[in-house]
Amino acid sequence: MGNKVRLKLDPTQKILLKRGLNKNGAAQRFFSNELRRKMDPYVPMRSGALKNTAVVHESSVEYVTPYARRQYYENKGTGMRGKQWDKRCWAENGDQIVESVAKFAGGEVK
């Protein structure tokens, strides 16, 4: 006869809530803010209006100038700044961002 081990676990939603991993929770907001911060040097800048009007939502970052869409798809860029800044930023900083979110949520990346 084998020994039995019985585990009593919190419900999934309670576990996620403790770590801020629930939908639109603290970890998601942290991720959005971290991504916005890391994207800043990649956003095209002449006067700074485009990068300085970024609005961080719970699960997105929105650039609200009338010309943001055009800059996103067509900007020729200088240095790091240029079109599709989110994709380029993620390619270069994604691992760091994931690590910082994991640390925020009480985990670690191996």
Side-chain angles (χ1 to χ4, degrees), residues 14 33 54 71 74 89-90 105:
K14 186 174 181 181
N33 279 293
Q71 292 297 315
E74 298 176 16
C89 173
W90 186 258

Side-chain angles (χ1 to χ4, degrees), residues 16 18-21 26-32 34-35 90 93-110:
L16 293 173
K18 280 183 185 179
R19 298 279 186 162
L21 296 170
Q28 176 64 55
R29 289 189 305 272
F30 178 85
F31 170 80
S32 296
E34 187 72 357
L35 185 58
W90 186 258
N93 299 288
D95 290 344
Q96 291 174 352
I97 295 169
V98 168
E99 192 172 311
S100 66
V101 173
K103 189 174 183 179
F104 176 84
E108 59 185 65
V109 177
K110 292 186 179 190

Side-chain angles (χ1 to χ4, degrees), residues 9-103:
L9 300 173
D10 286 335
T12 304
Q13 290 304 317
K14 186 174 181 181
I15 294 169
L16 293 173
L17 185 61
K18 280 183 185 179
R19 298 279 186 162
L21 296 170
N22 53 315
K23 183 176 180 176
N24 297 325
Q28 176 64 55
R29 289 189 305 272
F30 178 85
F31 170 80
S32 296
N33 279 293
E34 187 72 357
L35 185 58
R36 193 296 190 197
R37 187 178 70 79
K38 291 285 192 178
M39 282 191 301
D40 195 63
Y42 294 84
V43 178
M45 186 176 85
R46 182 178 297 163
S47 68
L50 177 60
K51 74 178 198 72
N52 293 334
T53 58
V55 176
V56 179
H57 300 286
E58 289 175 334
S59 61
S60 66
V61 179
E62 180 181 15
Y63 293 84
V64 296
T65 61
Y67 52 87
R69 182 178 184 82
R70 185 172 188 182
Q71 292 297 315
Y72 182 80
Y73 289 107
E74 298 176 16
N75 187 283
K76 301 281 189 255
T78 57
M80 287 174 49
R81 299 187 184 279
K83 65 182 177 180
Q84 297 188 355
W85 51 86
D86 59 334
K87 291 177 175 70
R88 292 181 303 102
C89 173
W90 186 258
E92 292 184 21
N93 299 288
D95 290 344
Q96 291 174 352
I97 295 169
V98 168
E99 192 172 311
S100 66
V101 173
K103 189 174 183 179

